[in-house]
């Protein structure tokens, strides 16, 4: 047996897994080109159609979040522009298989070279599309990994992830990959441990492996002592999760009895289907970027999405954030190409720069506000003038709706505190009805460490005294002026960060649904200082 080796990686989805490695690139194909341009063109078109049919069938049999990812792939595959380079190569005499493979590999390389994390993360979708069409060309079947194995390779496609039965355990370990990829999102939603950026990973199918996706470590061929230590840590983690699940229905409070509100973050309206409204205090952040994934959404589409969440909340508060496009969330037809998008036209800056697009969302929000306990918050606010300009737009659109006799109400309007200027001088933004601290962005801006850059992940620490000092500052000002303060960044659901956040004075956090039980458990063991 080979000797034990350990490799560091970036955590894309937390958890522990023990099993044998299984290579993701174990596929063998042969393709006999006909040598005739017309035949090769027809073969490629047929294979593309077969792939479209396959994806459509998968969409019909999968749950909402996975279906959205597959719909994204369907849209890419149906876009004629994607096939053009391959068809041109066939016209020059190449066979359909190599024409498609070379054209798609070139496209994947362009995506991987992008400065933008979002585009890099979509490379896996393109690879998925490439492989599906190649399989259709050769009639090859996918090789199913045995249950419980640890899938490893350079990257994994959404289809490879989705066709696997994860009920019997397993994990994903990638040399490349991204924590922002579609597969990483699916892995988090399903609780499948996943490490990315394990650059040095060697090993082969069948090697025994331990995936510690709590500590960011992969061990191959472990010795007895390492295995025993790993199993102990994995058992502790499982017990913690069981303990957390048992208290998830209780209202959260610290060990000394101080109540803490725990709300949930929703990224799409489908998220709420899996959450019992009874176990949370409402929605502290409804992101609205998903609405813009396929282009600019109309008012009715937006209204329907907001209404679904507001009705599900049954009177509990729902905080909807106006669109935060830009930064790592590009939207075709809305965002602009920038050298440094995190410091550019994103969030409220972009919305105010393109008011004709923003007004559509505002009308949908005004109508949704009539239906329940809705607040609206503005992302990336730095100046009071941005807040005022947005409020003016809400008032103007309200007048238009009144004139058109459309039922609506003006929501309570607050801001995200995620730009250091806002956190340093909250008194300059005292007109806002509430503050919601966006710790993901606040941390990256305070520490000058990109949230999507694994190389500086160590600096991206919400518990750094400088970040905590700013959170204290906002909380203190909010208490003094009776402005409610909450936190909706990922740190709110991180058991390691929760003691520092509560000791900074926060009494309300909004967390990703999967973290809610663990967040409540972590809160229950905090003894507040002084
Ligand atoms: C944040 O920045 O903490 C936040 C909640 O917003 P997002 O992660 O969507 O930028
Ligand atoms: Mg943010």
């Amino acid at each position: 047996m080979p000797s034990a080796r350990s490799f560091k990686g970036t955590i894309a989805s937390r958890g522990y897994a023990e099993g044998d490695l299984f290579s993701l690139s174990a596929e063998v194909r042969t393709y006999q080109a006909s040598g005739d341009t017309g035949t090769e063109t027809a073969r490629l078109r047929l294979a593309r159609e077969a792939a479209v049919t396959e994806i459509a069938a998968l969409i019909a049999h999968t749950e909402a979040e996975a279906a959205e990812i597959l719909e994204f792939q369907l849209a890419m595959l149906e876009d004629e522009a994607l096939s053009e380079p391959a068809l041109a190569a066939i016209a020059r005499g190449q066979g359909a298989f190599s024409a498609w493979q070379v054209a798609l590999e070139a496209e994947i390389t362009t995506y991987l070279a992008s400065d933008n994390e979002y585009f890099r993360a979509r490379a896996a979708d393109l690879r998925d599309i490439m492989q599906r069409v190649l399989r259709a060309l050769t009639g090859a079947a996918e090789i199913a990994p045995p249950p419980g194995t640890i899938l490893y390779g350079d990257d994994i496609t959404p289809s490879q992830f989705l066709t696997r039965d994860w009920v019997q355990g397993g994990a994903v370990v990638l040399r490349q990959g991204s924590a922002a990829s579609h597969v990483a999102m699916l892995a988090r939603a399903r609780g499948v441990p996943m490490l990315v950026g394990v650059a040095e990973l060697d090993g082969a199918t069948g090697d025994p492996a331990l995936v510690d996706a709590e500590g960011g470590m992969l061990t191959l061929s472990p010795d007895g002592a390492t295995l025993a230590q790993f199993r102990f840590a994995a058992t502790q983690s499982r017990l913690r999760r069981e303990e957390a699940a048992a208290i998830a229905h209780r209202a959260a409070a610290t060990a000394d009895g101080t109540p803490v509100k725990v709300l949930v973050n929703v990224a799409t309206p489908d998220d709420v289907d899996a959450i019992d409204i009874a176990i949370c205090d409402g929605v502290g952040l409804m992101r609205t970027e998903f609405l813009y994934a396929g282009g600019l959404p109309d008012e009715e589409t937006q209204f329907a999405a907001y209404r679904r969440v507001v009705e599900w909340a049954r009177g509990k508060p729902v905080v909807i954030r106006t669109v935060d496009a830009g930064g790592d969330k590009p939207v075709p037809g809305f965002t602009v190409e920038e050298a440094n998008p995190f410091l550019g036209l994103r969030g409220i800056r972009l919305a105010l720069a393109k008011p004709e697009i923003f007004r559509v969302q505002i009308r949908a929000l005004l109508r949704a506000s009539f239906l329940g306990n809705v607040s609206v918050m503005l992302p990336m606010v730095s100046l009071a003038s941005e807040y005022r300009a947005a409020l003016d737009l809400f008032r103007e659109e309200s007048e238009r709706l009144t004139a058109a006799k459309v039922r609506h109400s003006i929501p309570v309007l607050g801001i995200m505190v995620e730009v250091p200027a806002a956190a340093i001088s909250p008194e300059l933004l005292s007109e806002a009805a509430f503050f919601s601290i966006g710790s993901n962005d606040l941390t990256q801006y305070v520490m000058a460490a990109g949230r999507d850059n694994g190389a500086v992940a160590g600096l991206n620490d919400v518990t750094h005294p400088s970040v905590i000092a700013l959170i204290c500052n906002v909380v203190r000002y909010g208490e003094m002026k009776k402005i409610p303060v909450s936190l909706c960044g990922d740190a709110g659901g991180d058991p390691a960060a929760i003691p520092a956040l509560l000791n900074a004075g926060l009494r309300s956090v909004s967390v990703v649904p999967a973290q809610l039980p663990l967040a409540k458990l972590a809160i229950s063991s905090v003894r507040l200082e002084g």
Side-chain angles (χ1 to χ4, degrees):
M1 183 157 123
S3 58
R5 282 136 28 246
S6 289
F7 307 89
K8 266 188 178 319
T10 302
I11 299 164
S13 173
R14 291 186 172 276
Y16 293 89
E18 182 185 334
D20 291 344
L21 286 184
F22 185 88
S23 170
L24 283 160
S25 52
E27 279 186 85
V28 189
R29 299 186 201 93
T30 51
Y31 180 80
Q32 202 61 48
S34 66
D36 173 65
T37 302
T39 306
E40 294 303 302
T41 305
R43 281 182 177 178
L44 181 59
R45 289 203 185 283
L46 279 175
R48 208 183 68 155
E49 274 168 35
V52 164
T53 311
E54 259 179 48
I55 299 176
L58 272 175
I59 290 172
H61 292 100
T62 193
E63 86 280 12
E65 193 177 16
E68 263 172 48
I69 291 167
L70 293 167
E71 269 158 16
F72 171 83
Q73 290 193 2
L74 197 58
M76 276 181 117
L77 189 53
E78 284 179 328
D79 183 354
E80 290 295 328
L82 188 72
S83 306
E84 271 164 20
L87 290 171
I90 292 174
R92 291 193 299 273
Q94 217 170 331
F97 189 96
S98 65
W100 179 256
Q101 190 173 31
V102 169
L104 268 284
E105 286 288 4
E107 191 77 0
I108 291 166
T109 306
T110 313
Y111 270 60
L112 285 173
S114 168
D115 288 341
N116 191 307
E117 171 74 6
Y118 177 86
F119 283 114
R120 284 201 302 279
R122 298 292 89 80
D125 290 294
L126 265 180
R127 188 166 294 287
D128 207 359
I129 290 169
M130 179 181 80
Q131 288 173 353
R132 196 179 287 285
V133 173
L134 292 179
R135 274 200 306 275
L137 276 170
T138 57
E142 234 166 340
I143 297 172
T149 43
I150 313 289
L151 302 188
Y152 83 101
D154 290 341
D155 205 349
I156 183 172
T157 65
S159 292
Q160 283 172 318
F161 184 90
L162 286 169
T163 48
R164 167 74 185 266
D165 176 11
W166 293 103
V167 173
Q168 297 184 60
V172 179
V173 181
L174 303 175
R175 292 189 192 90
Q176 298 161 10
S178 161
S181 70
H182 277 151
V183 171
M185 287 180 214
L186 288 172
R188 286 194 287 273
R190 296 186 180 190
V192 177
M194 176 168 172
L195 293 176
V196 297
V198 190
E200 307 297 322
L201 167 62
D202 52 21
T205 293
D207 283 358
L210 304 177
V211 180
D212 173 2
E214 294 288 342
M217 193 66 83
L218 167 75
T219 304
L220 297 184
S221 310
D223 55 36
T226 309
L227 185 62
Q229 239 173 13
F230 176 89
R231 286 184 177 163
F232 180 74
T235 305
Q236 294 294 101
S237 166
R238 183 173 49 77
L239 292 175
R240 231 175 7 256
R241 281 187 184 275
E242 284 171 7
E243 196 186 342
I247 64 149
H249 275 80
R250 291 194 211 142
T254 61
D256 33 303
T258 304
V260 177
K261 287 207 177 327
V262 183
L263 299 89
V264 287
N265 293 350
V266 301
T268 80
D270 294 335
D271 287 355
V272 299
D273 292 343
I275 313 167
D276 177 359
I277 182 66
I279 72 167
C280 66
D281 293 298
V283 174
L285 164 63
M286 177 180 178
R287 290 186 169 92
T288 58
E289 291 74 54
F290 74 93
L291 284 162
Y292 296 73
L296 299 176
D298 62 20
E299 186 182 318
E300 288 313 316
T301 305
Q302 297 197 49
F303 176 62
Y306 307 149
R307 185 175 57 195
R308 191 158 154 216
V309 175
V310 173
E311 286 175 352
W312 165 85
R314 287 193 226 124
K316 286 191 176 175
V318 175
V319 183
I320 307 176
R321 183 176 71 183
T322 62
V323 60
D324 183 18
D328 58 343
K329 305 160 197 147
V331 176
F334 190 21
T335 51
V336 292
E337 278 288 317
E338 292 173 300
N340 198 346
F342 273 124
L343 298 184
L345 213 50
R346 66 169 288 206
I348 192 65
R349 305 165 183 185
L350 179 69
L352 292 175
K354 306 216 172 170
E356 67 290 354
I357 294 174
F358 195 24
R359 283 177 189 274
V360 179
Q361 180 170 43
I362 290 174
R363 281 197 296 278
L365 289 169
L366 286 162
R367 290 170 55 198
S369 298
F370 185 78
L371 305 175
N373 186 354
V374 176
S375 307
V376 170
M377 67 180 166
L378 310 170
M380 290 294 291
V381 172
S382 320
L383 303 172
S385 57
E386 293 166 335
Y387 179 81
R388 282 180 214 135
L391 187 56
D392 284 347
L393 289 176
F394 272 82
R395 288 182 177 143
E396 283 171 28
E397 289 307 318
S398 164
E399 280 169 21
R400 285 175 59 184
L401 289 176
T402 304
K405 298 199 170 32
V406 177
R407 290 190 313 182
H408 70 282
S409 61
I410 296 189
V412 172
L413 193 64
I415 62 165
M416 299 267 305
V417 174
E418 52 186 346
V419 173
I424 293 166
S425 307
E427 67 280 6
L428 300 179
L429 292 157
S430 60
E431 291 155 60
F434 61 90
F435 295 146
S436 182
I437 297 173
S439 51
N440 304 340
D441 277 311
L442 184 62
T443 308
Q444 78 158 343
Y445 291 129
V446 170
M447 301 306 292
R451 57 193 277 183
D452 58 354
N453 187 341
V456 291
L459 284 168
N460 206 294
D461 175 12
V462 71
T463 65
H464 187 281
S466 305
V467 183
I468 293 295
L470 289 184
I471 294 174
C472 282
N473 193 43
V474 178
V475 170
R476 239 183 290 124
Y477 181 75
E479 278 169 4
M480 198 169 76
K481 294 290 176 186
K482 307 263 177 295
I483 300 174
V485 179
S486 181
L487 179 140
C488 64
D490 290 343
D494 177 359
I498 283 170
L501 298 178
L502 297 185
N503 279 310
L506 281 165
R507 297 292 177 264
S508 170
V509 289
S510 189
V511 308
V512 292
Q515 281 301 107
L516 185 131
L518 283 175
K520 284 191 173 181
L521 183 65
I523 291 167
S524 73
S525 55
V526 172
R527 259 179 208 289
L528 293 168
E529 291 160 9

